[in-house]
Amino acid sequence: MPGRTIDDAEGAAALTAVVAGATDRASVATAVRWTLQRLAEDVPGNSVEVRVPPFAAVQAVPGPRHTRGTPPNVIETDAATWIALATGALRWDDPAVAVKVSASGSRADLASFLPVRTTP
């Protein structure tokens, strides 16, 4: 993940705050970036790009690597939905996900990788 690596204690604190109802931009941004960082660490690869604008995007999931332009496998969602997916509060196969998540490409399925590991 480009940029600085978020310390686990800092990321966990931000995630705990957001799950408890914090909506300040700094907490949400840190929680999103940290959970995306964890996804990329736990499921390394370059075949799927996961985007949570305006906070971050990572590439994860083993498979064919794209080298130019928009990747063929893209998942994009808002911060609240990503946090819910990352923590297990929302399941990938929940009907609400189809409305709140844009997923394109044959590998754009995170069901087996969610929730992300939020403990060191």
Side-chain angles (χ1 to χ4, degrees):
M1 183 165 150
R4 75 176 180 93
T5 299
I6 297 170
D7 175 74
D8 286 336
E10 179 186 0
L15 182 60
T16 298
V18 171
V19 168
T23 58
D24 63 284
R25 184 173 174 84
S27 294
V28 172
T30 300
V32 166
R33 290 176 182 139
W34 183 64
T35 52
L36 285 172
Q37 172 184 303
R38 297 296 246 160
L39 176 71
E41 290 170 355
D42 292 347
V43 191
N46 298 96
S47 70
V48 178
E49 186 165 292
V50 183
R51 301 173 181 169
V52 182
F55 301 112
V58 296
Q59 291 185 358
V61 183
R65 178 186 179 99
H66 71 277
T67 56
R68 303 178 103 188
T70 301
N73 302 289
V74 176
I75 296 168
E76 187 169 323
T77 192
D78 61 276
T81 302
W82 171 250
I83 294 294
L85 286 166
T87 60
L90 183 62
R91 292 175 35 117
W92 185 258
D93 59 358
D94 188 304
V97 169
V99 175
K100 297 180 178 186
V101 176
S102 170
S104 62
S106 61
R107 294 179 172 272
D109 180 348
L110 296 179
S112 59
F113 310 119
L114 295 173
V116 298
R117 180 177 54 89
T118 57
T119 55

